[in-house]
Amino acid sequence: MRAIGIILAGGNNYRMRELSQKRAVCAMPIAGSYRSIDFALSNMSNSHIKKVAVFTQYNARSLNEHLSSSKWWDFGRKQGGLVVFTPAVTSENSFWYRGTADAIAQNLAFLKDSHEPYVVISSGDCIYKMDFNKVLEYHISHKADITVVCKDLEAEYNVDRYGILKMNEERRIEEFEEKPVIARTNTISCGIYVVRRRQLIEMIEKGAEEDRFDFVKDILIRYKGMKRIFGYKLKDYWSNIATVEDYFNTNMDFLKQETSDFFFRQYPDIYSKVDDLPPAKYNYGAHIKNSLISSGCIINGTVEDSVIFKKSFIGNNCYIKNSIILNDVYIGDNTHIENCIVESRDTIRANSYHKGEDGIKIVIEKNDRYVI
Amino acid sequence: MIKKEMIAMLLAGGQGSRLGVLTSKVAKPAVAFGGKYRIIDFPLSNCINSGVDTVGVLTQYQPLRLNTHIGIGIPWDLDRNIGGVTVLPPYEKSNNSEWYTGTANAIYQNFDYMDSFNPDYVLILGGDHIYKMDYDVMLECHRAKNADVTIAVMPVPIEEAKRFGVMITDGDKRITDFEEKPENPRSNLASMGIYIFNWATLKEALLNNADLPNLDFGKHVIPYCHKKDASLYAYEFNGYWKDVGTLESYWEANMELIDIVPEFNLYEEYWKIYTKSEILPPQYIADNTWVEKCIIGEGTRVYGKVYNSVIGCGVTIGKDCIVRDSIIMNNVDIGAGCELYKAIVAENVVVGADVKLGIGDEVANETDPHIYSSGIVTIGEKSTVPAGVTVGKNTVIFGITDLSDYPDNLLPSGKSLIKAGGEV
């Protein structure tokens, strides 16, 4: 494909509450065995993008570990490959990334040294599957300067934390508002863009001169009258995990056969780092209903309507309902967990009781694990 | 200069004919085991966990699955600049082109491969056992005894010793004599087919015996070394070591994995077993199901009831099924309402709805009573079983079968249904 990829994996997000203390949102575990950045990375790999840069700055340890080898997404290549850019002190600059555009500006050499004519930009916290070749085709046939992938959300969905856009009949974007007080349409920007590389360099350089740091505010919105910015409608599944509720619901979506078929049984696949875990094991007393169980788990209790991530242990006589248990959690016997997200690597003592009464409860207990 | 202290040569060319249709399209080391693994994963993982990063895998019989599984060795971290894993099939030579005619003959034909690493020691392994073993400890023992050859041995009950090559040792574990499958064994130390040779010793033995037909380690090379007064030592291994050479032992070894605390534990942090995982997503267990005492691989969907079974990756088990005491390999599709009792279902099999496997009395198999025994139903890879049929015990099905192959919708116990063109 004649494009390079950029994944914006920068930010923290207070709406993720305690979950973001441990990791960047892009490294959030999804659907039992993935992390959210796997979706953007796999889409780029499956679209035959050969060279991808990930921009990250907030609490990147978990993300860096996940990206320690690029071979899982087939980016372990001599030509191109995967690079991770964290902020660095240089002779010209000693700032953190002050925004998405600033992140690109600080690494402009990456864009300048490439020869591919187009750039695909995606945020790393979206769960979706798409062929960027189709967007690029659309971009070229509409003679667009920038193409924004957008999606119509259902009318009852609260869209006020997204970028809202309005297109005219030839799909050119007329209005673009970031997090509006009152949204006038239900078409939101998916945080996925295609832009010509030279065009992007020009706009980013201009923005940097004027101390403008945000890609949406200072480029998309500012240039919307001047440049030809088009919308490309995404019809398939798309979800953004910016809040705890969204994160919870996105994971629960994978219990539906339709979503699970779309991501796991239809071409192309989503890739992730392989963990070398044994198959999940169910002992006497295991009773599972409508749940996803990942490899390496050992289950002795009851699990209903839940997503259990990798390598978790669930003790005898436990009752887990409508919950998400993240990686490597140990749950002692006789424990009741309902409407909760249990943070990874946690140890829940026997006979505990956790229930989210109004909304999702995040369980973080920093108990020591007893190793026999 | 290239130099490796110890390299491993893994013999993976055998058919393993006692596994019946399971090995009619794949070599035995490539047969699936334990839900997501293949048998060769165990020796390969042992190699990398022991610090042996140069492994030659000798293939001959049906190598396609093995080749794709091993690739460049990424899952085992055996993708190296120097060394790593190399698949070594037999090849044509300017004179005397031949297949691998014996274990040592296969090693001899890859003399140049071994020599290129300039090793001090060569480790010879088989590809058909389930075990965890630190070859580095064995090497330490080899060095401490100043041995020329060290043979890994395992104490077995004396009445079983006659099935093995038996080593007779002195108090210092020096091998004084050995017997191949003796009537009255003088020792209970069975050879595991794992050898460490000093490269100089192996080189000399291979070159001097190159012309012997079907050159074999147990029959020729070890006796030759013994005759030459080389110092042969036994290294006693006391861990789990399971031969999976017959359908019965294969079934048993799989079932041992699902004990509450299995003797062979895959869940240990230390000494992981690696494999190539193609399927990543978690497994889905639907409503109205029951899963009890089983292990299930990635991406499998269970809509029925599963007891006491080993289920691979990407399997679908339909609504109202009952799967009991069975082994189901990757990407199998079991239709709704099926009942499986003690069945081994190989990869990519499609079983139609309401099929019942393993029903009826035990009758010895008509064609291969020694292979298809113990009441096991065996279905070869890529086979199809039509909806509504009932299949007895000690049976085998291989190929695309339809209702006309099952008079009265029945395949009675002891029957073999092998159709040509099992391949799609």
Side-chain angles (χ1 to χ4, degrees):
Chain A
M1 188 175 173
R2 296 188 300 149
I4 53 172
I6 288 180
I7 296 178
L8 301 170
N12 181 14
N13 191 331
Y14 67 92
R15 286 194 238 86
M16 287 298 279
R17 299 182 2 219
E18 299 92 321
L19 291 174
S20 68
Q21 283 171 7
K22 218 166 169 173
R23 56 180 96 66
V25 178
C26 296
M28 280 307 292
I30 293 284
S33 23
Y34 300 85
R35 291 186 183 258
S36 66
I37 199 170
D38 289 334
F39 293 83
L41 280 172
S42 302
N43 287 333
M44 292 202 173
S45 176
N46 289 330
S47 303
H48 308 293
I49 293 176
K50 299 268 185 323
K51 191 164 145 190
V52 173
V54 176
F55 294 136
T56 170
Q57 91 178 347
Y58 172 79
N59 203 352
R61 183 198 56 83
S62 178
L63 185 65
N64 282 337
E65 267 178 29
H66 187 61
L67 301 179
S68 63
S69 170
S70 54
K71 57 182 142 190
W72 315 119
W73 303 272
D74 219 359
F75 285 124
R77 302 282 134 212
K78 247 166 50 182
Q79 310 290 325
L82 180 68
V83 275
V84 179
F85 289 121
T86 44
V89 176
T90 64
S91 54
E92 291 104 46
N93 175 55
S94 58
F95 292 107
W96 293 91
Y97 295 152
R98 288 160 291 179
T100 42
D102 189 39
I104 302 176
Q106 288 194 29
N107 297 290
L108 208 58
F110 172 75
L111 286 180
K112 286 187 161 167
D113 297 345
S114 300
H115 57 84
E116 290 84 350
Y118 298 98
V119 184
V120 174
I121 303 175
S122 170
S123 63
D125 56 2
C126 294
I127 310 306
Y128 67 108
K129 185 153 142 181
M130 83 182 298
D131 183 355
F132 295 123
N133 289 296
K134 295 215 172 98
V135 192
L136 183 59
E137 241 171 65
Y138 178 92
H139 179 84
I140 293 168
S141 70
H142 283 73
K143 299 193 173 56
D145 290 313
I146 306 176
T147 299
V148 179
V149 177
C150 55
K151 184 169 176 68
D152 292 336
L153 292 183
E154 279 132 43
E156 69 273 12
Y157 202 90
N158 184 8
V159 295
D160 61 9
R161 57 184 186 79
Y162 295 106
I164 308 296
L165 46 86
K166 190 164 172 245
M167 293 182 277
N168 66 13
E169 56 281 3
E170 60 157 348
R171 293 277 164 100
R172 188 162 171 180
I173 293 176
E174 288 179 326
E175 286 176 47
F176 198 122
E177 266 188 293
E178 182 74 343
K179 303 183 178 92
V181 183
I182 299 160
R184 275 176 292 177
T185 71
N186 254 46
T187 309
I188 58 141
S189 159
C190 294
I192 303 158
Y193 319 103
V194 172
V195 51
R196 200 156 52 79
R197 186 174 55 90
R198 302 209 63 84
Q199 177 80 69
L200 181 64
I201 293 172
E202 193 187 295
M203 290 188 298
I204 294 279
E205 278 182 332
K206 190 103 190 303
E209 276 168 28
E210 299 167 353
D211 280 350
R212 296 177 184 277
F213 302 128
D214 190 66
F215 186 77
V216 174
K217 210 165 73 214
D218 298 325
I219 290 182
L220 287 182
I221 296 181
R222 204 169 142 78
Y223 283 93
K224 72 172 182 289
M226 215 162 85
K227 298 285 182 193
R228 289 171 61 84
I229 305 185
F230 282 77
Y232 174 93
K233 283 246 170 99
L234 178 65
K235 302 232 164 49
D236 296 323
Y237 185 92
W238 177 90
S239 154
N240 173 275
I241 50 165
T243 70
V244 169
E245 286 66 35
D246 280 338
Y247 176 68
F248 187 86
N249 293 334
T250 301
N251 277 297
M252 291 303 170
D253 281 344
F254 282 87
L255 292 177
K256 297 176 197 145
Q257 189 171 355
E258 188 196 353
T259 315
S260 141
D261 277 349
F262 175 64
F263 282 105
F264 301 150
R265 297 230 164 166
Q266 287 168 23
Y267 177 85
D269 287 338
I270 305 294
Y271 315 109
S272 189
K273 186 174 168 178
V274 176
D275 265 349
D276 299 305
L277 292 168
K281 185 160 185 268
Y282 302 86
N283 291 330
Y284 291 116
H287 187 200
I288 322 288
K289 263 176 84 173
N290 188 36
S291 296
L292 286 171
I293 314 285
S294 309
S295 46
C297 287
I298 299 182
I299 314 258
N300 296 294
T302 301
V303 179
E304 289 181 9
D305 306 317
S306 297
V307 180
I308 314 293
F309 283 69
K310 290 185 272 196
K311 225 179 138 192
S312 290
F313 178 90
I314 294 176
N316 290 316
N317 203 22
C318 284
Y319 181 74
I320 317 286
K321 164 99 183 157
N322 197 39
S323 294
I324 292 174
I325 313 291
L326 295 182
N327 295 314
D328 195 12
V329 171
Y330 180 96
I331 298 179
D333 297 350
N334 311 318
T335 293
H336 180 109
I337 292 179
E338 192 170 347
N339 306 334
C340 292
I341 298 176
V342 181
E343 179 58 292
S344 62
R345 293 185 219 301
D346 215 337
T347 301
I348 309 293
R349 295 222 172 105
N351 308 312
S352 306
Y353 183 91
H354 293 283
K355 185 172 179 188
E357 294 295 350
D358 35 278
I360 312 303
K361 178 176 173 187
I362 296 176
V363 180
I364 301 179
E365 286 189 1
K366 292 180 173 155
N367 298 323
D368 288 330
R369 187 162 314 178
Y370 300 111
V371 181
I372 306 158
Chain B
M1 185 190 137
I2 291 175
K3 165 88 191 157
K4 296 275 180 188
E5 188 187 23
M6 178 156 83
I7 64 168
M9 298 297 273
L10 207 167
L11 296 157
Q15 177 182 1
S17 54
R18 286 172 305 154
L19 285 177
V21 289
L22 295 188
T23 53
S24 60
K25 293 281 177 200
V26 295
K28 178 165 148 192
V31 170
F33 182 84
K36 63 185 287 191
Y37 303 98
R38 294 185 188 279
I39 295 169
I40 197 171
D41 291 334
F42 296 87
L44 274 182
S45 300
N46 285 340
C47 280
I48 196 68
N49 288 338
S50 309
V52 177
D53 67 1
T54 306
V55 184
V57 179
L58 296 103
T59 62
Q60 172 156 289
Y61 175 79
Q62 292 280 14
L64 175 66
R65 191 77 52 83
L66 263 184
N67 287 341
T68 44
H69 184 66
I70 293 169
I72 60 165
I74 287 177
W76 305 272
D77 255 340
L78 285 168
D79 49 327
R80 299 288 164 135
N81 284 337
I82 294 169
V85 65
T86 310
V87 176
L88 303 167
Y91 54 95
E92 197 177 2
K93 300 159 201 74
S94 53
N95 53 4
N96 184 33
S97 296
E98 57 175 356
W99 294 100
Y100 294 153
T101 56
T103 51
N105 174 269
I107 300 290
Y108 169 70
Q109 291 196 40
N110 289 287
F111 188 89
D112 292 343
Y113 171 80
M114 295 184 285
D115 206 37
S116 69
F117 293 106
N118 195 15
D120 295 330
Y121 310 102
V122 177
L123 170 68
I124 310 287
L125 300 171
D128 42 14
H129 287 92
I130 307 298
Y131 65 112
K132 292 180 185 175
M133 180 172 173
D134 192 340
Y135 304 131
D136 198 41
V137 174
M138 182 172 168
L139 178 62
E140 253 168 55
C141 172
H142 178 83
R143 270 193 301 235
K145 305 274 190 194
N146 222 350
D148 294 315
V149 186
T150 299
I151 302 172
V153 295
M154 170 108 183
V156 294
I158 195 90
E159 57 273 16
E160 281 182 35
K162 57 173 171 284
R163 296 197 292 123
F164 296 93
V166 169
M167 302 292 144
I168 294 109
T169 58
D170 65 12
D172 192 35
K173 287 276 179 279
R174 184 166 176 148
I175 295 169
T176 52
D177 202 1
F178 41 81
E179 302 168 316
E180 192 66 23
K181 298 192 176 137
E183 266 310 303
N184 299 303
R186 285 187 282 153
S187 148
N188 69 338
L189 296 178
S191 165
M192 298 163 69
I194 300 169
Y195 313 99
I196 291 178
F197 281 89
N198 285 350
W199 174 228
T201 311
L202 180 63
K203 194 152 64 171
E204 201 257 342
L206 289 176
L207 292 175
N208 280 321
N209 294 292
D211 299 331
L212 284 181
N214 306 336
L215 190 63
D216 183 87
F217 277 102
K219 287 196 200 92
H220 309 113
V221 175
I222 300 295
Y224 173 83
C225 292
H226 186 56
K227 207 170 64 200
K228 287 285 223 169
D229 275 335
S231 61
L232 272 60
Y233 278 86
Y235 167 76
E236 196 174 311
F237 178 76
N238 285 301
Y240 182 93
W241 184 68
K242 187 89 183 177
D243 173 68
V244 286
T246 66
L247 283 175
E248 192 186 356
S249 65
Y250 172 82
W251 182 84
E252 264 176 27
N254 271 284
M255 291 301 140
E256 280 168 12
L257 293 174
I258 54 181
D259 290 341
I260 299 296
V261 180
E263 200 187 336
F264 187 78
N265 197 340
L266 293 166
Y267 294 81
E268 287 168 343
E269 275 299 297
Y270 174 70
W271 217 267
K272 275 189 179 178
I273 303 299
Y274 310 99
T275 188
K276 180 176 162 155
S277 302
E278 276 153 24
I279 303 171
L280 295 166
Q283 50 208 257
Y284 176 70
I285 316 284
D287 263 341
N288 300 318
T289 58
W290 197 268
V291 283
E292 188 178 274
K293 198 164 177 270
C294 54
I295 56 175
I296 301 183
E298 283 100 339
T300 288
R301 291 176 177 179
V302 179
Y303 300 96
K305 298 183 169 61
V306 183
Y307 307 90
N308 208 37
S309 295
V310 174
I311 315 291
C313 304
V315 174
T316 304
I317 295 176
K319 245 175 129 65
D320 304 320
C321 281
I322 298 171
V323 177
R324 206 181 267 281
D325 306 326
S326 296
I327 299 166
I328 299 181
M329 299 184 196
N330 294 353
N331 299 318
V332 169
D333 203 339
I334 309 270
C338 289
E339 290 175 30
L340 279 70
Y341 302 101
K342 214 172 179 185
I344 300 176
V345 183
E347 291 159 64
N348 300 303
V349 166
V350 179
V351 178
D354 301 313
V355 169
K356 297 188 171 41
L357 302 180
I359 307 280
D361 303 327
E362 281 219 23
V363 176
N365 186 269
E366 54 178 7
T367 49
D368 306 280
H370 303 298
I371 296 178
Y372 305 107
S373 60
S374 316
I376 299 172
V377 179
T378 310
I379 303 183
E381 63 173 70
K382 293 180 185 162
S383 300
T384 306
V385 181
V389 300
T390 299
V391 176
K393 291 178 175 151
N394 293 335
T395 46
V396 54
I397 298 171
F398 187 38
I400 310 288
T401 62
D402 52 44
L403 274 178
S404 63
D405 300 312
Y406 300 84
D408 305 326
N409 285 349
L410 179 71
L411 185 72
S413 291
K415 292 284 177 197
S416 300
L417 174 55
I418 297 184
K419 288 185 92 173
E423 228 164 357
V424 184

